[in-house]
PDB file of all heavy atoms in Angstrom:
ATOM      1  N   TYR B 294     -24.401  -8.676 -30.724  1.00 95.00           N
ATOM      2  CA  TYR B 294     -24.888  -8.313 -32.047  1.00 95.00           C
ATOM      3  C   TYR B 294     -26.068  -9.196 -32.457  1.00 95.00           C
ATOM      4  O   TYR B 294     -26.086 -10.397 -32.175  1.00 95.00           O
ATOM      5  CB  TYR B 294     -23.765  -8.497 -33.080  1.00 95.00           C
ATOM      6  CG  TYR B 294     -22.681  -7.429 -33.046  1.00 95.00           C
ATOM      7  CD1 TYR B 294     -22.190  -6.919 -31.850  1.00 95.00           C
ATOM      8  CD2 TYR B 294     -22.161  -6.935 -34.248  1.00 95.00           C
ATOM      9  CE1 TYR B 294     -21.196  -5.957 -31.841  1.00 95.00           C
ATOM     10  CE2 TYR B 294     -21.159  -5.973 -34.249  1.00 95.00           C
ATOM     11  CZ  TYR B 294     -20.683  -5.480 -33.038  1.00 95.00           C
ATOM     12  OH  TYR B 294     -19.706  -4.535 -33.034  1.00 95.00           O
ATOM     13  N   GLY B 365     -29.880  -7.264 -56.661  1.00 98.00           N
ATOM     14  CA  GLY B 365     -28.629  -7.424 -55.924  1.00 98.00           C
ATOM     15  C   GLY B 365     -27.565  -6.393 -56.243  1.00 98.00           C
ATOM     16  O   GLY B 365     -26.415  -6.530 -55.832  1.00 98.00           O
ATOM     17  N   PHE B 375     -29.507  15.774 -66.675  1.00 98.00           N
ATOM     18  CA  PHE B 375     -30.040  16.040 -65.340  1.00 98.00           C
ATOM     19  C   PHE B 375     -29.472  15.103 -64.266  1.00 98.00           C
ATOM     20  O   PHE B 375     -30.225  14.432 -63.552  1.00 98.00           O
ATOM     21  CB  PHE B 375     -31.583  15.965 -65.332  1.00 98.00           C
ATOM     22  CG  PHE B 375     -32.241  16.976 -66.229  1.00 98.00           C
ATOM     23  CD1 PHE B 375     -32.755  16.613 -67.463  1.00 98.00           C
ATOM     24  CD2 PHE B 375     -32.335  18.314 -65.831  1.00 98.00           C
ATOM     25  CE1 PHE B 375     -33.361  17.545 -68.296  1.00 98.00           C
ATOM     26  CE2 PHE B 375     -32.953  19.258 -66.656  1.00 98.00           C
ATOM     27  CZ  PHE B 375     -33.458  18.869 -67.899  1.00 98.00           C
ATOM     28  N   ARG B 420     -21.842  20.583 -54.427  1.00 97.00           N
ATOM     29  CA  ARG B 420     -22.962  20.555 -53.487  1.00 97.00           C
ATOM     30  C   ARG B 420     -23.005  19.234 -52.718  1.00 97.00           C
ATOM     31  O   ARG B 420     -23.370  19.198 -51.562  1.00 97.00           O
ATOM     32  CB  ARG B 420     -24.261  20.782 -54.273  1.00 97.00           C
ATOM     33  CG  ARG B 420     -25.409  21.253 -53.460  1.00 97.00           C
ATOM     34  CD  ARG B 420     -26.454  22.057 -54.267  1.00 97.00           C
ATOM     35  NE  ARG B 420     -26.313  21.950 -55.708  1.00 97.00           N
ATOM     36  CZ  ARG B 420     -27.260  21.437 -56.505  1.00 97.00           C
ATOM     37  NH1 ARG B 420     -28.379  20.965 -56.016  1.00 97.00           N
ATOM     38  NH2 ARG B 420     -27.071  21.400 -57.824  1.00 97.00           N
ATOM     39  N   LEU B 426     -22.922   8.368 -49.817  1.00 98.00           N
ATOM     40  CA  LEU B 426     -23.308   7.345 -50.798  1.00 98.00           C
ATOM     41  C   LEU B 426     -23.083   7.774 -52.244  1.00 98.00           C
ATOM     42  O   LEU B 426     -23.271   6.974 -53.157  1.00 98.00           O
ATOM     43  CB  LEU B 426     -24.781   6.953 -50.617  1.00 98.00           C
ATOM     44  CG  LEU B 426     -25.116   6.112 -49.383  1.00 98.00           C
ATOM     45  CD1 LEU B 426     -26.619   5.855 -49.304  1.00 98.00           C
ATOM     46  CD2 LEU B 426     -24.364   4.785 -49.400  1.00 98.00           C
ATOM     47  N   ALA B 452      -7.490  15.349 -63.799  1.00 96.00           N
ATOM     48  CA  ALA B 452      -6.203  15.358 -63.101  1.00 96.00           C
ATOM     49  C   ALA B 452      -6.303  16.165 -61.809  1.00 96.00           C
ATOM     50  O   ALA B 452      -5.810  15.742 -60.754  1.00 96.00           O
ATOM     51  CB  ALA B 452      -5.122  15.925 -64.013  1.00 96.00           C
ATOM     52  N   ILE B 456     -10.635  12.111 -60.344  1.00 97.00           N
ATOM     53  CA  ILE B 456     -11.863  11.309 -60.427  1.00 97.00           C
ATOM     54  C   ILE B 456     -11.889  10.599 -61.779  1.00 97.00           C
ATOM     55  O   ILE B 456     -11.198  11.002 -62.716  1.00 97.00           O
ATOM     56  CB  ILE B 456     -13.150  12.169 -60.243  1.00 97.00           C
ATOM     57  CG1 ILE B 456     -13.239  13.289 -61.305  1.00 97.00           C
ATOM     58  CG2 ILE B 456     -13.215  12.734 -58.819  1.00 97.00           C
ATOM     59  CD1 ILE B 456     -14.547  14.080 -61.214  1.00 97.00           C
ATOM     60  N   LEU B 473     -11.347   8.542 -87.899  1.00 98.00           N
ATOM     61  CA  LEU B 473     -10.252   8.553 -88.879  1.00 98.00           C
ATOM     62  C   LEU B 473     -10.485   9.644 -89.910  1.00 98.00           C
ATOM     63  O   LEU B 473      -9.565  10.376 -90.283  1.00 98.00           O
ATOM     64  CB  LEU B 473     -10.139   7.181 -89.543  1.00 98.00           C
ATOM     65  CG  LEU B 473      -9.469   6.104 -88.673  1.00 98.00           C
ATOM     66  CD1 LEU B 473      -9.678   4.714 -89.261  1.00 98.00           C
ATOM     67  CD2 LEU B 473      -7.972   6.398 -88.500  1.00 98.00           C
ATOM     68  N   ILE B 507      -5.058  -2.508 -76.904  1.00 98.00           N
ATOM     69  CA  ILE B 507      -5.176  -3.302 -75.670  1.00 98.00           C
ATOM     70  C   ILE B 507      -3.947  -3.055 -74.798  1.00 98.00           C
ATOM     71  O   ILE B 507      -4.064  -2.827 -73.576  1.00 98.00           O
ATOM     72  CB  ILE B 507      -5.346  -4.806 -76.010  1.00 98.00           C
ATOM     73  CG1 ILE B 507      -6.713  -5.042 -76.668  1.00 98.00           C
ATOM     74  CG2 ILE B 507      -5.185  -5.665 -74.759  1.00 98.00           C
ATOM     75  CD1 ILE B 507      -6.908  -6.424 -77.251  1.00 98.00           C
ATOM     76  N   ASN B 524     -23.942  -4.541 -76.449  1.00 97.00           N
ATOM     77  CA  ASN B 524     -23.114  -4.695 -77.661  1.00 97.00           C
ATOM     78  C   ASN B 524     -23.757  -5.663 -78.636  1.00 97.00           C
ATOM     79  O   ASN B 524     -23.694  -5.460 -79.851  1.00 97.00           O
ATOM     80  CB  ASN B 524     -21.713  -5.195 -77.303  1.00 97.00           C
ATOM     81  CG  ASN B 524     -20.912  -4.206 -76.467  1.00 97.00           C
ATOM     82  OD1 ASN B 524     -19.969  -4.586 -75.799  1.00 97.00           O
ATOM     83  ND2 ASN B 524     -21.278  -2.930 -76.485  1.00 97.00           N
ATOM     84  N   ALA B 540      -3.987  -9.263 -70.997  1.00 98.00           N
ATOM     85  CA  ALA B 540      -3.089  -8.102 -70.938  1.00 98.00           C
ATOM     86  C   ALA B 540      -3.102  -7.440 -69.567  1.00 98.00           C
ATOM     87  O   ALA B 540      -2.317  -6.530 -69.305  1.00 98.00           O
ATOM     88  CB  ALA B 540      -3.496  -7.087 -71.999  1.00 98.00           C
ATOM     89  N   ASN B 543      -8.095  -4.044 -66.234  1.00 98.00           N
ATOM     90  CA  ASN B 543      -9.189  -4.235 -65.285  1.00 98.00           C
ATOM     91  C   ASN B 543     -10.513  -4.200 -66.029  1.00 98.00           C
ATOM     92  O   ASN B 543     -10.821  -3.248 -66.746  1.00 98.00           O
ATOM     93  CB  ASN B 543      -9.178  -3.134 -64.221  1.00 98.00           C
ATOM     94  CG  ASN B 543     -10.341  -3.277 -63.237  1.00 98.00           C
ATOM     95  OD1 ASN B 543     -10.577  -4.370 -62.724  1.00 98.00           O
ATOM     96  ND2 ASN B 543     -11.075  -2.208 -63.004  1.00 98.00           N
ATOM     97  N   ARG B 556     -32.593  -5.034 -69.682  1.00 98.00           N
ATOM     98  CA  ARG B 556     -32.639  -5.338 -68.260  1.00 98.00           C
ATOM     99  C   ARG B 556     -31.494  -4.613 -67.579  1.00 98.00           C
ATOM    100  O   ARG B 556     -30.411  -4.503 -68.143  1.00 98.00           O
ATOM    101  CB  ARG B 556     -32.421  -6.832 -68.019  1.00 98.00           C
ATOM    102  CG  ARG B 556     -33.241  -7.746 -68.858  1.00 98.00           C
ATOM    103  CD  ARG B 556     -32.687  -9.167 -68.896  1.00 98.00           C
ATOM    104  NE  ARG B 556     -32.815  -9.840 -67.640  1.00 98.00           N
ATOM    105  CZ  ARG B 556     -33.584 -10.914 -67.424  1.00 98.00           C
ATOM    106  NH1 ARG B 556     -34.287 -11.433 -68.414  1.00 98.00           N
ATOM    107  NH2 ARG B 556     -33.642 -11.469 -66.246  1.00 98.00           N
ATOM    108  N   ALA B 584     -14.049 -14.947 -62.762  1.00 98.00           N
ATOM    109  CA  ALA B 584     -13.667 -13.675 -63.395  1.00 98.00           C
ATOM    110  C   ALA B 584     -14.898 -12.820 -63.683  1.00 98.00           C
ATOM    111  O   ALA B 584     -14.858 -11.589 -63.565  1.00 98.00           O
ATOM    112  CB  ALA B 584     -12.886 -13.950 -64.683  1.00 98.00           C
ATOM    113  N   LEU B 597     -14.535   2.477 -60.809  1.00 98.00           N
ATOM    114  CA  LEU B 597     -15.267   3.676 -60.380  1.00 98.00           C
ATOM    115  C   LEU B 597     -14.529   4.444 -59.283  1.00 98.00           C
ATOM    116  O   LEU B 597     -15.081   5.398 -58.722  1.00 98.00           O
ATOM    117  CB  LEU B 597     -16.661   3.281 -59.879  1.00 98.00           C
ATOM    118  CG  LEU B 597     -17.532   2.496 -60.862  1.00 98.00           C
ATOM    119  CD1 LEU B 597     -18.928   2.305 -60.289  1.00 98.00           C
ATOM    120  CD2 LEU B 597     -17.612   3.197 -62.212  1.00 98.00           C
ATOM    121  N   GLY B 598     -13.324   4.019 -58.967  1.00 98.00           N
ATOM    122  CA  GLY B 598     -12.586   4.707 -57.905  1.00 98.00           C
ATOM    123  C   GLY B 598     -13.092   4.338 -56.520  1.00 98.00           C
ATOM    124  O   GLY B 598     -12.842   5.040 -55.542  1.00 98.00           O
ATOM    125  N   ALA B 665     -42.796   3.583 -53.397  1.00 96.00           N
ATOM    126  CA  ALA B 665     -44.250   3.388 -53.445  1.00 96.00           C
ATOM    127  C   ALA B 665     -44.942   4.091 -54.614  1.00 96.00           C
ATOM    128  O   ALA B 665     -45.814   3.505 -55.251  1.00 96.00           O
ATOM    129  CB  ALA B 665     -44.874   3.790 -52.110  1.00 96.00           C
ATOM    130  N   LEU B 673     -47.975   6.485 -66.009  1.00 95.00           N
ATOM    131  CA  LEU B 673     -48.137   7.792 -66.669  1.00 95.00           C
ATOM    132  C   LEU B 673     -47.102   7.974 -67.776  1.00 95.00           C
ATOM    133  O   LEU B 673     -47.425   8.419 -68.878  1.00 95.00           O
ATOM    134  CB  LEU B 673     -48.017   8.922 -65.634  1.00 95.00           C
ATOM    135  CG  LEU B 673     -49.178   9.023 -64.634  1.00 95.00           C
ATOM    136  CD1 LEU B 673     -48.865  10.051 -63.549  1.00 95.00           C
ATOM    137  CD2 LEU B 673     -50.476   9.378 -65.359  1.00 95.00           C
ATOM    138  N   GLN B 675     -45.612   5.623 -69.390  1.00 95.00           N
ATOM    139  CA  GLN B 675     -45.942   4.694 -70.473  1.00 95.00           C
ATOM    140  C   GLN B 675     -47.011   5.297 -71.371  1.00 95.00           C
ATOM    141  O   GLN B 675     -46.905   5.243 -72.605  1.00 95.00           O
ATOM    142  CB  GLN B 675     -46.424   3.367 -69.879  1.00 95.00           C
ATOM    143  CG  GLN B 675     -46.852   2.375 -70.955  1.00 95.00           C
ATOM    144  CD  GLN B 675     -47.225   1.025 -70.356  1.00 95.00           C
ATOM    145  OE1 GLN B 675     -46.588   0.559 -69.423  1.00 95.00           O
ATOM    146  NE2 GLN B 675     -48.252   0.402 -70.905  1.00 95.00           N
ATOM    147  N   HIS B 684     -47.892   2.647 -80.187  1.00 39.00           N
ATOM    148  CA  HIS B 684     -48.578   1.455 -79.652  1.00 39.00           C
ATOM    149  C   HIS B 684     -49.878   1.861 -78.974  1.00 39.00           C
ATOM    150  O   HIS B 684     -49.990   2.958 -78.453  1.00 39.00           O
ATOM    151  CB  HIS B 684     -47.676   0.734 -78.640  1.00 39.00           C
ATOM    152  CG  HIS B 684     -46.495   0.090 -79.293  1.00 39.00           C
ATOM    153  ND1 HIS B 684     -46.548  -1.127 -79.922  1.00 39.00           N
ATOM    154  CD2 HIS B 684     -45.229   0.529 -79.472  1.00 39.00           C
ATOM    155  CE1 HIS B 684     -45.364  -1.428 -80.408  1.00 39.00           C
ATOM    156  NE2 HIS B 684     -44.549  -0.436 -80.152  1.00 39.00           N
TER     157      HIS B 684
END
Side-chain angles (χ1 to χ4, degrees):
Chain B
Y294 285 40
F375 298 103
R420 201 154 14 118
L426 288 177
I456 59 176
L473 283 167
I507 292 170
N524 295 159
N543 178 48
R556 311 162 69 115
L597 304 186
L673 290 173
Q675 177 176 321
H684 291 279

